[in-house]
Amino acid sequence: MPHHTPLIATIVGGLVLAFIFGTLANRFRMPPLIGYLVAGIAIGPFTPGFVGDADLAQELAEIGVILLMFGVGLHFSLKDLLSVKNIAIPGAVAQIAIATLLGMGLGWALGWPFGEGFLFGLALSVASTVVLLTALQERRLVETKRGRIAVGWLIVEDIAMVLALVLIPALSGVLGGKGDALSGNALLLTLGITLGKVVAFVAVMLIVGRRVIPWILERIADTGSRELFRLAVLAIALGFALGSAYVFGVSFALGAFFAGMILSESELSHRAAEESLPLRDAFSVLFFVSVGMLFDPSVLVREPLLVLATVLIIVVGKSLAALLIVRAFGHPMSTALTISASLAQIGEFSFILATLGISLDLLSPVGRDLILGGAILSILINPLLFSLLDRLQARASGEGDAAAAEASLQTVDLDGHVVLVGYGRVGRGIGEQLRAQGHPFVVIEAQLENVDALRAQGVPVIYGNGAQSELLKAAAIERARWLLVAIPEAFEAGQLIEHARAANPAVQIVARAHSDAEIEHLEKHGAHQVIMGEREIARGMLGVIGTGAQGA
């Protein structure tokens, strides 16, 4: 190479291998996250071949953490949490405590210091947001009672871990890591100052940030510049994360989380999430790659029993605790099994805690490797658990049948109607016109906030990805007269159109596109008419000129 470019080499190597291994993982019906971790292992110092710059990878991972937490904040719904607070809050707290104690028990058996055992157990107690939501969405369980409990449980876990990320550095000396070993009044003073900073930060964000953040975005949105709006979203996420760390001494993660949560209240939150998603995804991938770089796969050979014990705590101990807690609150076994399967893995926060533990000398390399190994194996096992759960519920009678009925989709009672896929800016305009003209229609929509709004208006709506043939069936596509595909993703739209044509060859299909290539792609898959927005705008403008000339 003509120049030494470790940053470019690390980013390119990480992303290329993440793409390759992520694609392979998806091919074998595993979460792509597994592929990202394997990519990190491949370019890590413990495997032969190209070795990425670990220090640079950690810096990139920090940006990934900020954007991940910003995304969590954007999707944080206080309303959803309050609807299941009686089970989600005590259940999550109790499950975190039990899993932490189980991890501490293993650490005690190994002769680890108290602080290491505590951090190890805490890292095993929190589930992966990505894995849990993916599993629920695939089974259309997000909107069911048990789905809401699982999501509420997850939010409580996330909040608890955000607080842990703030408090652990302040208590590092007491726990046996870097820092002063405080006791008595000094310990209380440190705790008081830390919590005081957090309270001050929360107050400033809720009082000032709630006004400033939406105001900034509204002003930028008024300029009509998409690039400036995208830049504003990223500046808010990264700027508030960095500012919170320097001014209030809290973590990057907490600052980003609150920025996202406040932004979620704005009418522009959906657009903000959409604009920041590509960069969030890219840096999230680099985050998982950097975590994989830390993992020494030889621990599977050196300490197979410890790895097995760690996996058992995650998959059996933590899940069994969740199952018993849910049953103790009077919920049916189907709900308890879904919650326990959802939580039978660990992910993002576990990696963050492991990294923090190493930096504070609270966690040994063995403890870190056990956490990473446990995460990788539990994420691999999780889809198998859900498949087993699906089979058990399919064969069960009584309560199992009720659970299956809850998860199933009821077919809409319409005939000769319109199926509208997507309810963004384009879909919303179509829906308003259909209602005004009295046409019966059903909407398939993947954004929960839009689904809630449509239901409040009494519009039939099905939540999920329209490319799934089950959703088209629930929308009675075989009896529909029109299918209007208002989503902008041409690849997904092509799959959807193909499924619709197979179910109802007579249905008339109209789709949208952004280029001639997309038009060709959609027509190839069976669309009768494809409308390109730019072309229609041009025709409309020329039409105005023609009308004006005739009037003159």
Side-chain angles (χ1 to χ4, degrees):
M1 294 178 66
H3 303 288
H4 183 58
T5 53
L7 176 61
I8 295 175
T10 301
I11 292 175
V12 173
L15 289 178
V16 169
L17 286 177
F19 165 69
I20 294 171
F21 287 115
T23 302
L24 288 173
N26 186 65
R27 179 77 175 174
F28 290 103
R29 299 185 179 278
M30 293 186 294
L33 185 148
I34 291 291
Y36 308 155
L37 293 169
V38 172
I41 295 171
I43 65 171
F46 305 105
T47 53
F50 170 74
V51 177
D53 190 308
D55 293 332
L56 283 174
Q58 290 306 304
E59 293 281 343
L60 296 170
E62 197 67 62
I63 298 177
V65 171
I66 291 171
L67 295 174
L68 270 174
M69 289 308 303
F70 181 66
V72 171
L74 275 175
H75 294 94
F76 178 82
S77 171
L78 192 59
K79 183 183 72 173
D80 287 345
L81 176 60
L82 291 177
S83 70
V84 293
K85 63 182 185 300
N86 292 334
I87 172 66
I89 295 176
V93 171
Q95 179 253 299
I96 288 172
I98 293 170
T100 302
L101 288 173
L102 289 173
M104 291 175 67
L106 179 58
W108 175 79
L110 297 173
W112 289 356
F114 171 82
E116 181 169 9
F118 173 74
L119 191 63
F120 178 75
L122 195 63
L124 302 187
S125 71
V126 58
S128 165
T129 302
V130 176
V131 176
L132 186 149
L133 289 178
T134 299
L136 293 180
Q137 287 170 350
E138 284 178 352
R139 288 158 181 81
R140 304 181 303 279
L141 292 173
V142 174
E143 291 189 280
T144 64
K145 179 71 173 178
R146 48 194 163 144
R148 287 195 295 271
I149 292 174
V151 173
W153 197 300
L154 177 72
I155 290 172
V156 176
E157 283 191 349
D158 286 351
I159 292 173
M161 292 306 114
V162 166
L163 291 175
L165 291 173
V166 174
L167 292 175
I168 287 173
L171 299 175
S172 176
V174 178
L175 295 172
K178 290 180 181 177
D180 298 327
L182 304 177
S183 60
N185 292 334
L187 176 59
L188 292 175
L189 181 62
T190 300
L191 279 173
I193 291 173
T194 301
L195 290 175
K197 287 181 177 179
V198 173
V199 170
F201 165 71
V202 172
V204 169
M205 290 295 286
L206 291 180
I207 296 171
V208 180
R210 184 172 283 180
R211 292 174 173 82
V212 173
I213 293 176
W215 182 86
I216 292 173
L217 276 186
E218 286 169 9
R219 299 290 79 75
I220 297 301
D222 288 343
T223 67
S225 172
R226 185 171 183 175
E227 292 127 39
L228 274 179
F229 185 87
R230 185 183 295 123
L231 184 59
V233 172
L234 296 174
I236 287 170
L238 299 173
F240 274 85
L242 189 64
S244 64
Y246 278 105
V247 177
F248 297 98
V250 300
S251 67
F252 290 138
L254 187 62
F257 173 77
F258 265 87
M261 188 178 70
I262 289 171
L263 191 52
S264 71
E265 299 178 5
S266 168
E267 293 180 358
L268 295 168
S269 62
H270 175 64
R271 185 178 167 192
E274 185 180 288
E275 295 293 348
S276 63
L277 184 60
L279 200 60
R280 272 194 287 139
D281 285 346
F283 275 99
S284 295
V285 168
L286 289 174
F287 169 73
F288 291 119
V289 169
S290 71
V291 170
M293 290 176 68
L294 297 174
F295 178 58
D296 182 1
S298 66
V299 72
L300 300 175
V301 178
R302 290 186 286 107
E303 304 288 357
L305 294 180
L306 292 184
V307 173
L308 177 62
T310 302
V311 172
L312 288 176
I313 289 173
I314 299 167
V315 176
V316 179
K318 184 164 69 124
S319 299
L320 185 60
L323 186 144
L324 294 175
I325 291 168
V326 175
R327 290 292 286 161
F329 276 82
H331 290 274
M333 182 59 76
S334 61
T335 299
L337 288 171
T338 299
I339 304 299
S340 60
S342 299
L343 300 171
Q345 38 76 21
I346 60 174
E348 303 93 285
F349 273 111
S350 306
F351 305 150
I352 297 170
L353 286 169
T355 304
L356 179 66
I358 289 291
S359 68
L360 295 173
D361 288 341
L362 278 174
L363 196 65
S364 66
V366 172
R368 176 197 61 199
D369 288 342
L370 290 178
I371 291 171
L372 299 178
I376 292 172
L377 293 174
S378 67
I379 293 171
L380 277 169
I381 293 169
N382 197 247
L384 302 178
L385 288 179
F386 266 102
S387 296
L388 179 61
L389 179 61
D390 291 341
R391 291 178 184 176
L392 288 174
Q393 291 183 341
R395 294 177 183 175
S397 58
E399 182 180 85
D401 290 337
E406 180 191 352
S408 66
L409 289 168
Q410 291 185 346
T411 303
V412 295
D413 187 18
L414 293 173
D415 197 357
H417 58 292
V418 177
V419 177
L420 172 58
V421 182
Y423 208 75
R425 286 175 294 177
V426 174
R428 189 174 294 109
I430 296 171
E432 290 171 357
Q433 289 297 316
L434 289 173
R435 273 191 292 178
Q437 296 170 13
H439 286 299
F441 71 102
V442 59
V443 177
I444 299 177
E445 170 60 22
Q447 296 295 329
L448 272 175
E449 56 266 34
N450 292 338
V451 171
D452 293 338
L454 285 165
R455 285 187 175 157
Q457 297 166 15
V459 176
V461 58
I462 298 168
Y463 171 68
N465 188 322
Q468 296 176 326
S469 56
E470 296 88 351
L471 299 190
L472 286 171
K473 184 178 179 182
I477 189 65
E478 70 279 0
R479 300 196 303 271
R481 184 177 178 185
W482 292 91
L483 170 65
L484 306 182
V485 185
I487 57 175
E489 296 83 5
F491 178 76
E492 183 179 312
Q495 292 180 304
L496 188 156
I497 291 167
E498 193 172 315
H499 291 153
R501 292 281 288 167
N504 181 2
V507 68
Q508 295 295 304
I509 302 172
V510 182
R512 61 180 286 198
H514 293 289
S515 67
D516 292 332
E518 288 186 1
I519 291 175
E520 184 179 350
H521 172 76
L522 295 172
E523 288 178 343
K524 180 181 177 182
H525 280 78
H528 294 93
Q529 186 175 356
V530 182
I531 297 172
M532 189 164 75
E534 293 82 353
R535 191 174 289 171
E536 293 304 311
I537 291 171
R539 287 176 182 168
M541 288 182 172
L542 289 172
V544 170
I545 294 174
T547 303
Q550 290 175 6

